[in-house]
Amino acid sequence: MDQSPPGARPTLAVAYCTGQRCAALHDRRCHHGPDEHPPSVACLHASVRTRPEAVLIATDCLGACHRGSLAVVGPAAVQAGSVRWLRPPVAVELMDDPDRAGALADWITAGAPDPATLPPMLRT
């Protein structure tokens, strides 16, 4: 079982890349207002809100630009505003695709972060 550092809260962390390339991929797929999230990001927001002790993190470039827009999901410890993965997170690429983003949102709602329950469409 994963152990959190003393004083840290264990949580489900969902991080999505907001780096230049990922943001451009999301913008290419949909036209949204300057104060709105693209639909693929909005569905992540909605799914994280359904999970107790879950946190959604918008992060700078995750460094996997060759994999398309990226999100990572996994158990983490949150302490003093920082997040530490308790085990390697599951990386899901091509998150600018609304179908893939929807499948990830459903997985977050239903069973994440167990990699064994990752939907087949997200394994590629």
Side-chain angles (χ1 to χ4, degrees):
M1 178 162 213
D2 297 319
Q3 294 295 316
S4 298
R9 291 183 300 121
T11 190
L12 173 69
V14 179
Y16 68 95
C17 183
T18 62
Q20 184 176 7
R21 184 169 187 278
C22 290
L25 287 170
H26 283 284
D27 288 343
R28 178 184 61 108
R29 288 238 184 214
C30 65
H31 300 286
H32 53 89
D35 296 329
E36 298 174 9
H37 292 291
S40 53
V41 174
C43 71
L44 292 180
H45 279 261
S47 66
V48 167
R49 279 194 293 271
T50 69
R51 294 285 302 263
E53 297 295 322
V55 62
L56 182 65
I57 304 160
T59 183
D60 289 331
C61 183
L62 291 169
C65 297
H66 64 286
R67 296 175 71 181
S69 68
L70 191 68
V72 292
V73 180
V78 178
Q79 186 175 27
S82 66
V83 176
R84 184 175 64 81
W85 299 109
L86 297 175
R87 63 177 185 247
V90 174
V92 180
E93 57 194 42
L94 302 173
M95 289 309 305
D96 51 298
D97 179 311
D99 292 334
R100 290 179 65 82
L104 178 61
D106 290 345
W107 182 59
I108 290 167
T109 301
D114 180 1
T117 64
L118 185 69
M121 88 173 304
L122 299 178
R123 293 179 191 271
T124 58

